[in-house]
């Protein structure tokens, strides 16, 4: 376990019997009054901003927010039935609220905070909803008044899930204990699964694995299928439990907006290193495959398996029957073996990075848990792993697909390495357009797949 992971404080928090601030104590009878005294403002009412505005209001908090002027009329119609007041601009939000949440695109955060940060109410708590905390904290420190209390958070789910029961990271950066307790109470009221991480650097290191590299793996699969010119559910090499998970998770990722993933990969200072390592692992394995160097290929994969899937790890144990049930294919009887190069590469990369992915489950997202789950399923099944190795080395019918995947990983790694935000978005949107007709269905099926697998 790395040093940053050893320092993490992980708690599941429950609604308290009483709340204490100095010499004052509030019992349960005072709880609703205590809640109503905290005004929450959200700057940026996109998908996640609206989701949390509604959730806070439902929990009993007074909520207001703002977005671009051209969006106000529609937002008023959407949010006022939920008792969320839509204001004209961020100055109005910042001047009046006890908690201000910036829920804007990561690459636009600096400009927005620079404009509205100086209007922050004296002593207010300020938080960000971006998935990368290093540039967020640097921006807050630069543009917020020194009396502002910085307690940020990261909801480990997308807008397709309600906050209740979802994992949520809280990071106290600059705040007193009373303010921090109010922030904890806020998310207790939403019944989220709270994890406390004391340092934003530790958060970004873990998220580089659980989100940035995970997304690149699935994005590379989508790119490879697009470039090969086929839908994977129409190809016999992509029929079966593991491939159902790969396909549905890929469609789920491409059903969301490009800027979410671009910010995660490019603005996280730790993501470039981990994505590069994934690309190196994939390239080196692919070279061994095309040269048919079986002994070296096997030794490398077994070494990675023994490190990642050590007996001390608590397994995820994805259900084989559930994975097989969720298929977009109509030709189940035509299944062919698959090399699963994307999974082999991820396990090899974890080994070379010295990363224990099971430790990173404290910051898990559904795609990461599924990715680790199918890797575990493959590597702990001797017969399936042997089939994957034999296919990778000797089955020429899938070699073209693996070549497309190899090229796609190299492309994504280069875009992230160059820090090309617009190139990332364009690349993402091109693949999204290719799968457009199946994204809605894929999103719905993946959500149900996630729900079922979590219940097993």
């Amino acid at each position: 376990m790395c040093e940053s992971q050893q320092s993490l404080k992980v708690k599941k928090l429950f609604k308290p019997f009483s709340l204490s601030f100095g010499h004052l104590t509030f019992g349960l009878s005072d709880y609703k009054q205590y809640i109503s005294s905290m005004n929450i403002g959200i700057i940026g009412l996109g998908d996640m901003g609206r989701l949390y505005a509604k959730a806070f209001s439902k929990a009993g908090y007074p909520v207001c927010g703002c977005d671009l002027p051209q969006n106000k009329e529609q937002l008023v119609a959407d949010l006022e039935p939920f008792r969320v007041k839509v204001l004209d601009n961020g100055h109005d939000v910042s001047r009046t609220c006890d908690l201000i949440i910036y829920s804007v695109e990561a690459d636009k955060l600096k400009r927005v905070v620079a404009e509205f940060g100086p209007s922050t109410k004296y002593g207010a708590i300020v938080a960000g909803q971006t998935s990368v905390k290093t540039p967020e904290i640097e921006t807050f420190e630069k543009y917020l008044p020194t009396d502002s209390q910085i307690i940020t958070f990261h909801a480990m789910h997308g807008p397709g899930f309600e906050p209740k029961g979802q994992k949520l990271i809280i990071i106290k950066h600059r705040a007193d204990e009373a303010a921090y307790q109010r922030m904890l109470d806020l998310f207790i009221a939403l019944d989220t699964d709270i994890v406390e991480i004391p340092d934003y650097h530790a958060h970004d290191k873990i998220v580089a694995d659980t989100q940035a590299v995970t997304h690149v793996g699935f994005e590379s699969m989508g790119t490879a299928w697009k470039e090969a010119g086929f839908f994977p559910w129409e190809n016999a090499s992509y029929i079966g439990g593991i491939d159902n998970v790969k396909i549905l998770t890929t469609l789920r990722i491409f059903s969301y907006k490009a800027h979410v993933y671009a910010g995660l990969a490019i603005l996280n200072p730790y993501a470039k290193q981990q994505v590069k390592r994934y690309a190196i692992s994939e390239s080196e394995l692919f070279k061994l495959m095309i040269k048919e160097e079986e002994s070296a290929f096997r030794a490398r994969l077994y070494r990675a398996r023994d490190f990642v899937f050590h007996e001390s790890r608590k397994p995820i144990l994805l259900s084989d029957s559930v994975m097989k049930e969720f298929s977009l294919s109509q030709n189940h009887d035509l299944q062919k073996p698959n090399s699963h190069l994307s999974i082999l590469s991820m396990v090899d990369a974890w080994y070379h990075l010295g990363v224990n992915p099971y430790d990173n489950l404290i910051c898990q997202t559904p795609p990461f848990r599924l990715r680790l789950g199918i890797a575990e399923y493959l590597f702990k099944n001797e017969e399936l792993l042997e089939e994957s190795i034999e296919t990778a080395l000797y089955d020429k019918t899938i070699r073209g697909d693996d070549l497309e995947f190899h090229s796609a990983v190299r492309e994504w790694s280069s875009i992230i390495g160059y820090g090309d935000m617009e190139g990332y978005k364009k690349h993402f949107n091109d693949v999204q357009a290719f799968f457009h007709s199946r994204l809605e269905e894929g999103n719905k099926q993946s959500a149900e797949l996630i729900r079922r697998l979590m219940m097993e």
Side-chain angles (χ1 to χ4, degrees):
M1 186 182 296
C2 68
E3 182 179 345
S4 65
Q5 291 167 328
Q6 288 177 327
S7 68
L8 300 182
K9 178 174 65 172
V10 182
K11 291 182 179 179
K12 176 71 173 80
L13 298 172
F14 300 91
K15 189 172 181 178
F17 177 80
S18 64
L19 304 169
S20 298
F21 301 99
H23 64 283
L24 299 176
T25 300
F26 298 84
L28 288 179
S29 62
D30 304 299
Y31 194 74
K32 287 188 179 295
Q33 181 179 353
Y34 166 72
I35 284 178
S36 65
S37 69
M38 185 177 180
N39 295 305
I40 299 174
I42 301 177
I43 298 176
L45 292 171
D47 293 339
M48 291 296 284
R50 292 196 307 276
L51 179 72
Y52 273 84
K54 294 174 185 177
F56 294 142
S57 179
K58 183 179 179 181
Y61 288 89
V63 183
C64 67
C66 68
D67 203 273
L68 297 172
Q70 60 267 32
N71 297 334
K72 183 177 180 181
E73 183 178 352
Q74 184 61 52
L75 287 169
V76 168
D78 291 345
L79 294 176
E80 287 205 343
F82 297 92
R83 302 187 307 280
V84 176
K85 188 173 183 180
V86 181
L87 304 182
D88 289 332
N89 56 60
H91 293 297
D92 294 341
V93 173
S94 295
R95 280 195 295 262
T96 58
C97 292
D98 305 301
L99 167 62
I100 301 116
I101 299 170
Y102 285 88
S103 185
V104 299
E105 296 179 25
D107 58 334
K108 294 181 173 63
L109 181 70
K110 186 174 182 179
R111 176 177 58 79
V112 176
V113 177
E115 182 176 358
F116 302 126
S119 297
T120 302
K121 180 180 177 180
Y122 179 83
I125 302 170
V126 180
Q129 211 172 9
T130 66
S131 300
V132 183
K133 296 306 178 186
T134 299
E136 179 184 287
I137 294 296
E138 290 172 352
T139 297
F140 286 164
E141 288 181 335
K142 183 174 182 179
Y143 294 109
L144 294 178
T146 57
D147 58 82
S148 301
Q149 309 211 54
I150 303 172
I151 308 170
T152 194
F153 69 96
H154 182 190
M156 305 301 292
H157 63 91
F161 291 92
E162 292 296 320
K164 182 178 179 179
Q166 297 297 321
K167 197 169 291 294
L168 184 137
I169 312 301
I170 293 184
I171 305 167
K172 175 186 173 185
H173 179 67
R174 188 180 78 195
D176 59 39
E177 288 303 317
Y180 187 55
Q181 186 62 53
R182 297 188 85 183
M183 198 69 164
L184 291 174
D185 294 332
L186 169 66
F187 291 109
I188 288 170
L190 267 56
D191 198 22
T192 57
D193 182 7
I194 297 173
V195 175
E196 298 174 77
I197 294 183
D199 177 66
Y200 65 92
H201 292 293
H203 166 275
D204 283 358
K205 287 178 183 178
I206 296 174
V207 168
D209 177 35
T210 62
Q211 293 191 317
V213 183
T214 296
H215 297 153
V216 165
F218 288 112
E219 288 164 342
S220 296
M221 284 185 244
T223 302
W225 294 326
K226 168 186 171 291
E227 294 302 324
F230 64 79
F231 295 126
W233 52 87
E234 297 175 352
N235 187 304
S237 295
Y238 301 95
I239 298 173
I242 289 179
D243 287 295
N244 291 343
V245 173
K246 289 194 294 189
I247 291 167
L248 289 176
T249 307
T250 299
L251 292 177
R252 181 172 191 81
I253 286 171
F254 281 106
S255 72
Y256 292 123
K257 295 176 181 177
H259 74 81
V260 175
Y261 303 105
L264 276 166
I266 291 174
L267 298 179
N268 189 327
Y270 304 99
K272 290 182 181 180
Q273 172 200 1
Q274 295 197 28
V275 170
K276 183 178 180 180
R277 178 62 251 180
Y278 179 68
I280 291 172
S281 288
E282 187 281 330
S283 181
E284 291 176 349
L285 288 174
F286 186 67
K287 290 174 185 175
L288 292 174
M289 287 163 53
I290 60 178
K291 291 190 291 184
E292 298 183 357
E293 294 187 9
E294 181 175 348
S295 59
F297 191 70
R298 286 182 180 277
R300 182 162 180 156
L301 292 177
Y302 291 160
R303 188 164 57 244
R305 177 196 62 185
D306 294 343
F307 169 77
V308 175
F309 303 107
H310 190 270
E311 291 180 359
S312 63
R313 318 297 196 211
K314 183 179 179 181
I316 293 175
L317 299 176
L318 294 184
S319 167
D320 180 62
S321 60
V322 172
M323 289 193 296
K324 288 180 177 178
E325 181 181 335
F326 286 81
S327 175
L328 297 179
S329 174
Q330 304 299 318
N331 301 304
H332 303 286
D333 297 333
L334 302 178
Q335 182 178 351
K336 291 174 53 181
N338 192 313
S339 67
H340 297 301
L341 178 56
S342 64
I343 302 175
L344 304 183
S345 302
M346 188 70 262
V347 175
D348 185 81
W350 281 327
Y351 167 74
H352 282 92
L353 288 166
V355 168
N356 175 2
Y358 290 90
D359 286 343
N360 290 347
L361 286 169
I362 64 167
C363 289
Q364 67 178 282
T365 60
F368 176 74
R369 185 176 182 86
L370 291 176
R371 187 169 178 79
L372 176 55
I374 58 176
E376 175 190 273
Y377 183 88
L378 173 63
F379 273 81
K380 293 178 78 72
N381 183 322
E382 291 286 349
E383 182 178 348
L384 190 58
L385 181 59
E386 177 63 25
E387 179 185 272
S388 176
I389 290 172
E390 288 290 323
T391 302
L393 289 166
Y394 303 117
D395 188 346
K396 300 299 190 296
T397 64
I398 200 170
R399 189 62 54 79
D401 293 0
D402 287 335
L403 176 59
E404 293 290 2
F405 179 75
H406 169 72
S407 301
V409 171
R410 184 67 61 87
E411 289 172 4
W412 283 106
S413 177
S414 296
I415 289 170
I416 293 167
Y418 292 133
D420 185 357
M421 187 75 72
E422 293 308 311
Y424 190 109
K425 293 177 183 178
K426 184 181 185 306
H427 211 48
F428 185 97
N429 290 334
D430 287 346
V431 181
Q432 186 181 66
F434 178 75
F435 288 107
H436 177 73
S437 63
R438 302 303 290 270
L439 292 180
E440 183 177 356
E441 179 185 359
N443 197 331
K444 289 179 181 178
Q445 282 215 39
S446 65
E448 180 61 17
L449 171 66
I450 291 165
R451 188 189 70 80
R452 290 279 304 280
L453 288 174
M454 297 304 182
M455 290 173 57
E456 291 292 321

